[in-house]
Amino acid sequence: MVDAKGRNMKCLTFFLMLPESVKIRSKKSNKKGSPTNSKVPPVCYEIITLKTKNKKMAAEIFPTRKPTSTTTVQNYHQQNLNNNNAVPAPNWQGLYPTIRERYVKGRPPRNAVMFNNDLMADVHFVVGPPGGTQRLPGHRYVLAVGSSVFHAMFYGELAEDKDEIRIPDVEPAAFLAMLKYIYCDEIDLGADTVLATLYAAKKYIVPHLARACVNFLETSLSAKNACVLLSQSCLFEEPDLTQRCWEVIDAQAELALKSEGFCDIDSQTLESILKRETLNAKEIVVFEAALNWAEVECQRQEMTVTIDNKRKVLGKAVYLIRIPTMALDDFANGAAQSGVLTLNETNDIFLWYTAAKKPDLEFVSKPRKGLVPQRCHRFQSCAYRSNQWRYRGRCDSIQFAVDKRVFIAGFGLYGSSCGSAEYSAKIELKRQGVILGTSLSKYFSDGSSNTFPVWFEYPVQIEPDTFYTASVVLDGNELSYFGQEGMTEVQCGKVTFQFQCSSDSTNGTGVQGGQIPELIFYA
C-alpha cells in the first residue's frame, strides 16, 4: 500500500468479531439506494523490529508439532483463518504451548514490550499476602488469549468489570513468571520460585508452564527435597512427579528422613511415608525422624515442645513406626528411653523380643520389605593366571552411563584366587571429577570366583545420559581373580548400562577386562 506521497506502507488487517445482533442490523440497512461502497481508509502501522535478548523461548522448549488429537486444533485454526465467528472449544488456550500458535499463523504478536508495562494496561493485579503485595499491570486481551481462567474472568458470562483485582494466594514473583510466559513465551524458573509458579500455572490453567515447572522439579529432585516435593506433588495432582519422589525416598530413605525438608511435610504425607513398605531404612532412623518432625510440628502449632506434646501431635502415626522390628540394642538405647512410649508399651515390646508367648501390640511388627538390589555384571567370564592380578595400591577404574535414573548402592568385587583372604577396599563414585560417594571398608573372600559386595554409606543417585566414574583401590592378597570378555553395553531389567575406559585407571582395568565386575543398584 502507498500513501499520498507514494511511500510504501505496511498494513495490519484486523478482523472484527461482531455480535449476531450487529450483523442482522447490517444486513437490513443494505437497501436500495443505501451506500454500499463507503470507502474507509484502513489504519496503517509501521512495524517496528524489536531486539530481543538471547533467552530460551517456550517454542524451543516445546517444539511445534501436530497434536495427536488433530480435530479440535485444526478446526480452531480454520475458524481463525476463515474468521467465521465460530464458538471456540473450551480451554482452547491450553491446546497451544506458544504465543505464535495462539494467534493467526504468519502474524505473531509483539507482546513482549507490554510485559509488566503500564502502557495501555486496562487491569491491575494486587498480588501477594497482606504486607507483601505488589501491584502489576496487565492487558485483558493478552491474558485472555493465554489462559482460559483469565478469559472467563474478563469476557465470560459472569465477568466483572474491575480495574483492580486482588490475588492474595499467589506470590508476586510467581505471578510475574506466569505473565512472562503468557506475554513473551519465556520460561524463567528458579529453585526458590518454581513451586509457587506451579501453583499459579495450575490456578490459571496454563498447562505448558505447569509442565515446565514439573520438569524442572524432576531434574532437581534429590533426597534433600524429595519429601517436600512429594507433599506438593500430591497437592498439585502430578502423579509422575509423585512417582519420581517415591523412587528417591525409597532408595535414599535415610538421607531423605534426615533432611530438613522432612520436618516441613504435613501429617498426611508423614503417615504415607511411615506406611511405606519399600522404605530402605533402619527402623531406628524412621523413629528418630518422626520425633524430629513432631518437635517442629509442636512449634508450628505454637505448643510447648515436650515429650507429651510430641506424642500428641504424632497421634496414631506413632503406631506406623515398626518399633518391634528394630535391633534390640536400637530399641533399648533409643526408643525405650525416648519417653514417647508409655510404660506398658515399653514392657510389651521388651516381652515381644524375649518371651516365647508374645503379647499383642498396636505397633506394626512385620519388617519392611525394603528394596531388592539389582546387579549389573559387565564380564562374561573371569580367570586367574600365574601372573595374577596385582594391586600395589593402584586404582582400578571404569566409566559408565545409564538411560534411566538409578541409585548405585555399591560394587561387587573379586577376591583371592588362592583360598580365603581379607581385603581392604576404598570405593569411590565421581561425576566430572566431583566425588559423589566414597566408602572405606573390609570384606572377606572365600577363594571362589564369586563377587563380594562393598557398599556405600548411602546409595548415590545417578542421572541418565551422563558418564560417571567408578573406582576402587584394593589392598590384600595379590593373587586375585579378574574379569574378561567385557561388554560395552549391558541390559539389566529396564535399565541399559554403557561402559567405557577411564583415564583414572592406573592398574589395567578397562572395558575388556580387569576389576569392578559388578555395579549394585536400585531402580
Side-chain angles (χ1 to χ4, degrees):
M1 181 176 188
V2 296
D3 63 3
K5 295 182 180 181
R7 295 176 299 184
N8 288 325
M9 299 290 288
K10 295 182 178 179
C11 298
L12 298 178
T13 303
F14 293 87
F15 292 94
L16 185 60
M17 307 293 283
L18 298 175
E20 287 298 326
S21 58
V22 176
K23 293 180 187 178
I24 293 170
R25 287 196 296 270
S26 174
K27 290 178 181 179
K28 287 181 179 180
S29 63
N30 189 17
K31 298 179 180 178
K32 186 175 181 181
S34 300
T36 57
N37 295 321
S38 59
K39 296 182 179 179
V40 179
V43 180
C44 300
Y45 294 86
E46 182 180 359
I47 298 178
I48 301 172
T49 303
L50 300 177
K51 294 182 179 179
T52 57
K53 296 180 180 179
N54 185 21
K55 296 181 180 178
K56 183 172 284 189
M57 307 296 285
E60 299 176 78
I61 299 177
F62 303 104
T64 304
R65 63 185 185 276
K66 291 184 178 179
T68 52
S69 179
T70 59
T71 305
T72 303
V73 176
Q74 289 177 348
N75 285 348
Y76 197 80
H77 270 306
Q78 194 60 44
Q79 291 166 15
N80 281 343
L81 293 173
N82 295 340
N83 192 28
N84 59 7
N85 295 335
V87 177
N91 192 24
W92 59 266
Q93 296 91 338
L95 299 174
Y96 306 94
T98 66
I99 290 178
R100 184 180 297 273
E101 292 177 271
R102 290 194 292 269
Y103 288 79
V104 177
K105 186 176 180 182
R107 288 186 277 121
R110 301 293 185 180
N111 289 331
V113 73
M114 293 299 177
F115 166 63
N116 200 21
N117 193 337
D118 274 307
L119 180 65
M120 294 190 290
D122 53 2
V123 66
H124 284 80
F125 301 95
V126 179
V127 186
T133 60
Q134 188 172 345
R135 194 169 187 267
L136 303 173
H139 305 78
R140 296 170 186 260
Y141 168 68
V142 177
L143 295 172
V145 168
S147 161
S148 59
V149 174
F150 283 128
H151 185 276
M153 185 186 298
F154 299 136
Y155 301 106
E157 294 180 0
L158 302 178
E160 296 183 13
D161 189 18
K162 291 183 179 180
D163 293 332
E164 189 172 276
I165 298 173
R166 296 188 176 273
I167 308 176
D169 59 330
V170 178
E171 294 180 12
F175 196 79
L176 271 172
M178 182 180 68
L179 293 185
K180 193 171 188 178
Y181 169 73
I182 292 175
Y183 278 78
C184 313
D185 272 351
E186 293 180 18
I187 296 178
D188 187 8
L189 300 175
D192 296 334
T193 60
V194 62
L195 280 173
T197 304
L198 177 58
Y199 174 78
K202 287 281 188 175
K203 178 177 180 177
Y204 292 98
I205 311 181
V206 187
H208 301 283
L209 178 59
R211 183 68 253 169
C213 292
V214 172
N215 290 340
F216 183 96
L217 291 171
E218 287 183 353
T219 56
S220 60
L221 183 61
S222 68
K224 293 181 180 180
N225 60 19
C227 294
V228 172
L229 292 184
L230 174 68
S231 177
Q232 297 297 321
S233 67
C234 295
L235 175 66
F236 293 134
E237 297 181 347
E238 288 290 343
D240 291 342
L241 180 58
T242 300
Q243 179 59 33
R244 299 299 293 272
C245 290
W246 278 125
E247 291 173 5
V248 174
I249 293 171
D250 282 343
Q252 297 181 302
E254 294 193 1
L255 281 177
L257 294 172
K258 292 178 180 179
S259 68
E260 293 182 5
F262 177 78
C263 295
D264 294 331
I265 61 178
D266 57 274
S267 58
Q268 186 176 355
T269 305
L270 172 71
E271 291 185 12
S272 66
I273 292 175
L274 296 182
K275 290 177 182 177
R276 191 74 175 171
E277 190 70 30
T278 49
L279 211 59
N280 201 35
K282 295 178 181 177
E283 208 61 33
I284 185 62
V285 176
V286 178
F287 178 79
E288 291 171 350
L291 291 189
N292 292 337
W293 178 89
E295 181 176 340
V296 176
E297 182 65 14
C298 286
Q299 296 171 359
R300 279 193 289 265
Q301 297 186 23
E302 298 181 350
M303 300 168 62
T304 305
V305 180
T306 63
I307 295 298
D308 290 340
N309 283 341
K310 285 185 180 180
R311 178 65 186 256
K312 183 178 180 180
V313 297
L314 280 171
K316 300 223 177 256
V318 72
Y319 296 116
L320 300 174
I321 306 171
R322 307 188 183 194
I323 295 176
T325 68
M326 290 181 184
L328 181 57
D329 287 347
D330 289 340
F331 173 72
N333 297 317
Q337 298 186 40
S338 67
V340 174
L341 304 179
T342 65
L343 183 59
N344 286 338
E345 289 170 343
T346 303
N347 289 337
D348 285 347
I349 294 173
F350 266 121
L351 289 174
W352 175 270
Y353 282 107
T354 56
K357 184 179 179 180
K358 302 184 183 299
D360 294 329
L361 299 175
E362 289 191 69
F363 295 91
V364 179
S365 57
K366 183 180 178 182
R368 301 179 195 272
K369 293 180 180 179
L371 293 177
V372 179
Q374 302 180 51
R375 294 177 180 245
C376 174
H377 197 93
R378 67 187 191 92
F379 296 125
Q380 299 183 66
S381 64
C382 66
Y384 67 93
R385 301 192 183 97
S386 57
N387 63 347
Q388 305 297 326
W389 197 274
R390 301 177 185 276
Y391 300 113
R392 299 174 183 174
R394 294 175 182 171
C395 178
D396 288 289
S397 182
I398 191 71
Q399 287 193 331
F400 70 94
V402 292
D403 62 345
K404 291 181 177 62
R405 176 182 289 172
V406 299
F407 302 86
I408 297 294
F411 303 154
L413 303 176
Y414 288 126
S416 170
S417 58
C418 300
S420 59
E422 187 178 64
Y423 284 85
S424 174
K426 179 184 179 181
I427 61 174
E428 196 173 73
L429 200 56
K430 295 189 296 185
R431 177 183 179 181
Q432 297 176 350
V434 178
I435 297 176
L436 304 177
T438 186
S439 175
L440 179 60
S441 58
K442 294 182 178 181
Y443 68 95
F444 184 80
S445 69
D446 58 7
S448 69
S449 60
N450 296 329
T451 57
F452 303 92
V454 178
W455 306 94
F456 289 106
E457 183 179 5
Y458 302 110
V460 179
Q461 183 171 309
I462 303 298
E463 297 297 335
D465 305 322
T466 301
F467 273 95
Y468 293 77
T469 302
S471 303
V472 60
V473 176
L474 287 166
D475 184 20
N477 194 323
E478 293 186 352
L479 303 179
S480 169
Y481 287 95
F482 59 91
Q484 57 186 13
E485 298 181 278
M487 296 173 283
T488 58
E489 184 173 301
V490 180
Q491 185 74 31
C492 295
K494 297 181 179 180
V495 183
T496 301
F497 285 79
Q498 290 183 326
F499 295 95
Q500 68 181 24
C501 295
S502 169
S503 59
D504 291 350
S505 188
T506 58
N507 199 42
T509 289
V511 174
Q512 296 301 319
Q515 300 298 319
I516 318 182
E518 283 183 341
L519 299 178
I520 305 173
F521 68 98
Y522 301 116

